[in-house]
Amino acid sequence: MFHERQPATVAHALTVDVEDWFHVCGAEQAAGERSGQGRVLHTTALVLDLLRSCGVRGTFFVLGSVASRYPELAPRIVAAGHELASHGWSHRLVTELSPQEFGDELLQTADLLERQTGQRPWGFRAPRWSLSRQTTPWAFEILAQQGYRYDSSLTPLAMIGDPAGPRLPHRIETAAGTLWEIPPLVTATPLGNLPTGGGWGFRFFPLAMIRHTLQVHQRQGGPGVLFMHPRELDPDGPRLRLGLLREFATYGPQSSAAGRLAALMRSFSFRPLGEQVALWQTAS
Ligand SMILES: [Zn+2]
């Protein structure tokens, strides 16, 4: 019953934050980065294989420092037909950066990705959803100034975002122009929004709940934005010691991520966020 593809005008988005196994916010000074034992080329190849097997093109938010260390990575993503977007340079939270530092990171990442692939990113996602209308209101104007057309960082979740924020895509007007904000998928419940679009919630809550949420988004004008990290397809890869709760949120339960993604990618239509934004811009 889930095999029917939706009309081309309604499509969801599969997004990948391309970073290494040790890019977990607050823990990245760990030995991994210093030792240079990265696994991101291997794990990103697993993601590319999975998307190819499902016939889905996604959006890859690439960390500038990772693209710099592995110059072959971004061209591989583009060659496979996916959209390249920016995850900043250093993986520092936007709340820890000055406006100048934020702008410099954005520019450095976009310049590098363009040199490597000929494509300049349209989209941005902040490390750990650390963009906010309350704490970093200046960031949206800087994004628009630099030619970014959308952001996908405002999660309507307690603790890490604004639980009262919109669940659906919306426009943010800045002095430098309009930016589309496309939040990651959450499921609204009487107890609050649940993190079903990615991370531990995607692996933990019933798959039927995630399907239902995608259908609701579709009716309301979607897209539902799923997100993942390449390390999630690498269950035997190295892990950081983060304490019980953060280890669960970061790593567990792992085994179902690839199977669930494949099931959803075969049931629903997906398109890169940049193409979705271009359609909205044409329509408005
Ligand atoms: Zn990240």
Side-chain angles (χ1 to χ4, degrees):
M1 62 179 140
F2 289 113
H3 297 292
E4 255 177 67
R5 291 256 171 175
Q6 300 141 19
T9 49
V10 182
H12 301 293
L14 191 285
T15 65
V16 186
D17 294 359
V18 181
E19 57 195 47
D20 223 315
W21 62 272
F22 44 80
H23 288 116
V24 177
C25 280
E28 41 235 286
Q29 291 314 308
E33 188 150 28
R34 288 195 298 271
S35 71
Q37 293 171 350
R39 291 177 65 80
V40 70
L41 281 180
H42 167 65
T43 53
T44 302
L46 297 177
V47 177
L48 292 174
D49 285 348
L50 178 66
L51 268 63
R52 183 171 52 236
S53 72
C54 297
V56 163
R57 290 184 305 122
T59 296
F60 286 66
F61 295 95
V62 178
L63 200 61
S65 58
V66 165
S68 172
R69 179 176 289 189
Y70 304 102
E72 63 272 58
L73 183 63
R76 280 184 197 168
I77 292 168
V78 170
H82 304 289
E83 178 193 7
L84 210 52
S86 169
H87 195 36
W89 185 273
S90 66
H91 214 248
R92 285 170 68 198
L93 303 182
V94 180
T95 44
E96 292 174 358
L97 301 174
S98 69
Q100 179 72 44
E101 289 172 322
F102 177 67
D104 288 349
E105 281 213 10
L106 279 181
L107 202 59
Q108 193 181 3
T109 303
D111 285 348
L112 177 70
L113 294 178
E114 188 173 19
R115 268 201 311 278
Q116 290 180 335
T117 68
Q119 291 188 12
R120 204 164 177 87
W122 276 21
F124 174 72
R125 173 172 290 152
R128 214 180 173 194
W129 319 109
S130 59
L131 211 60
S132 136
R133 283 177 185 262
Q134 287 78 33
T135 54
T136 58
W138 39 264
F140 302 98
E141 185 175 333
I142 294 173
L143 282 163
Q145 258 167 10
Q146 292 201 15
Y148 285 82
R149 304 193 190 187
Y150 71 90
D151 170 69
S152 182
S153 307
L154 299 190
T155 186
L157 287 173
M159 314 282 281
I160 53 171
D162 175 8
R167 292 193 302 275
L168 290 171
H170 53 282
R171 276 184 258 224
I172 294 179
E173 302 298 338
T174 82
T178 302
L179 198 68
W180 278 94
E181 176 58 43
I182 315 175
L185 188 79
V186 297
T187 298
T189 77
L191 296 175
N193 293 332
L194 300 178
T196 45
W200 70 270
F202 179 79
R203 303 185 296 264
F204 177 78
F205 292 110
L207 187 58
M209 179 191 276
I210 301 169
R211 284 186 190 278
H212 178 72
T213 309
L214 286 173
Q215 288 160 346
V216 170
H217 268 249
Q218 189 181 326
R219 280 199 297 275
Q220 295 175 338
V225 177
L226 303 178
F227 64 92
M228 65 169 301
H229 301 87
R231 60 175 172 265
E232 293 175 58
L233 299 189
D234 190 23
D236 299 324
R239 295 180 173 197
L240 298 175
R241 296 203 165 168
L242 304 166
L244 212 56
L245 273 181
R246 286 223 41 211
E247 281 184 33
F248 176 76
T250 306
Y251 300 122
Q254 280 280 13
S255 55
S256 59
R260 286 182 161 211
L261 284 165
L264 294 174
M265 286 193 284
R266 293 194 170 113
S267 305
F268 294 92
S269 291
F270 287 80
R271 78 162 60 93
L273 285 174
E275 289 182 20
Q276 184 62 59
V277 168
L279 286 174
W280 286 332
Q281 288 179 331
T282 309
S284 62

